[in-house]
Amino acid sequence: MKKLSALAFLFIFAFSSAQVSEFEKADSKYDRKLKSLYKKYPKPNDERTKQEWLLTEAKIASYQNALEKISEEEKKMITDAPPPMAPKITKEAEYETGKAAIQKLLNEAVDLTFLNFAVNPYKVTLKFTLDSKGNVYNAKVKGNNEDVNSFIEAGFYRIKDKGKWKPAESNGRPVLSVVSLPLQLNFSK
């Protein structure tokens, strides 16, 4: 049993690291190409602006591809099957240090300066499934801008292992649940 638990832990750790590294690769590639572009065009002009936008679109596409890969991998890792009839939840799921802590972590993990996006506060709803063991999967962000939502979702995947979630309970037993968090994020740096 200990070997099985250790193997499961290693698999989850490797998967989490792979998720974050996809975003880091996209960030690194964007930063390298942007630096090169600024060397080629030190002063702002139409061509530089056009190339900046193309680089931004490529970064957005990289993030969205990484999120799709995560979604496919998560489908393979689901540990709980939803019951035929959802049990009545007697205690809601909660983040160990509270909603304000998860909102602060998410604000710190999301950098949208390259988009020149400064709608403050930006209101979103973060939804994800939390299994009976406290594992998070199938995170989705709903807000007014799909590109921004992708970066917030990626930010959530970057921080999801920085704290623990306590699963919802039904009559004292942990159960699978869908968590929906309305959040207000501030992006001005």
Side-chain angles (χ1 to χ4, degrees):
M1 185 66 180
K2 287 182 182 179
K3 288 180 182 179
L4 186 58
S5 295
L7 183 62
F9 174 76
L10 287 173
F11 179 71
I12 290 170
F13 178 76
F15 178 65
S16 297
S17 297
Q19 291 173 351
V20 172
S21 71
E22 288 294 318
F23 302 126
E24 289 171 350
K25 283 181 194 175
D27 291 342
S28 176
K29 185 176 181 180
Y30 174 82
D31 292 341
R32 267 192 336 273
K33 288 186 174 191
L34 192 64
K35 196 181 249 186
S36 174
L37 180 65
Y38 286 169
K39 280 183 182 178
K40 186 174 182 178
Y41 302 104
K43 294 183 180 179
N45 62 37
D46 289 343
E47 184 60 26
R48 182 171 115 172
T49 302
K50 178 183 170 186
Q51 294 300 318
E52 283 175 331
W53 181 245
L54 291 173
L55 289 175
T56 300
E57 286 181 334
K59 183 174 181 178
I60 291 167
S62 294
Y63 267 58
Q64 290 171 338
N65 288 338
L67 290 168
E68 287 175 20
K69 286 180 188 176
I70 289 169
S71 179
E72 290 301 314
E73 288 298 317
E74 283 179 338
K75 287 177 185 174
K76 298 174 188 173
M77 294 176 39
I78 295 174
T79 58
D80 287 355
M85 208 153 99
K88 182 178 179 187
I89 294 185
T90 55
K91 184 178 177 191
E92 294 293 325
E94 56 187 37
Y95 191 65
E96 68 182 345
T97 53
K99 181 181 171 187
I102 191 79
Q103 187 162 329
K104 182 177 184 232
L105 283 170
L106 200 51
N107 261 329
E108 292 169 357
V110 179
D111 178 16
L112 298 176
T113 53
F114 72 97
L115 283 176
N116 295 322
F117 188 81
V119 174
N120 284 316
Y122 184 70
K123 296 178 183 182
V124 298
T125 301
L126 170 65
K127 273 188 170 181
F128 56 88
T129 304
L130 184 67
D131 70 12
S132 62
K133 295 176 180 88
N135 299 314
V136 173
Y137 57 94
N138 197 28
K140 298 291 177 212
V141 173
K142 298 282 187 217
N144 291 334
N145 184 308
E146 287 300 315
D147 295 338
V148 173
N149 295 347
S150 294
F151 285 95
I152 294 170
E153 195 174 313
F156 178 72
Y157 278 103
R158 288 178 185 211
I159 65 162
K160 81 173 196 157
D161 294 328
K162 290 190 176 187
K164 299 222 183 272
W165 283 90
K166 297 176 188 171
E169 293 181 5
S170 175
N171 298 322
R173 297 182 66 205
V175 294
L176 175 90
S177 66
V178 175
V179 177
S180 181
L181 292 173
L183 300 169
Q184 288 190 45
L185 303 170
N186 296 304
F187 300 118
S188 57
K189 298 283 179 184

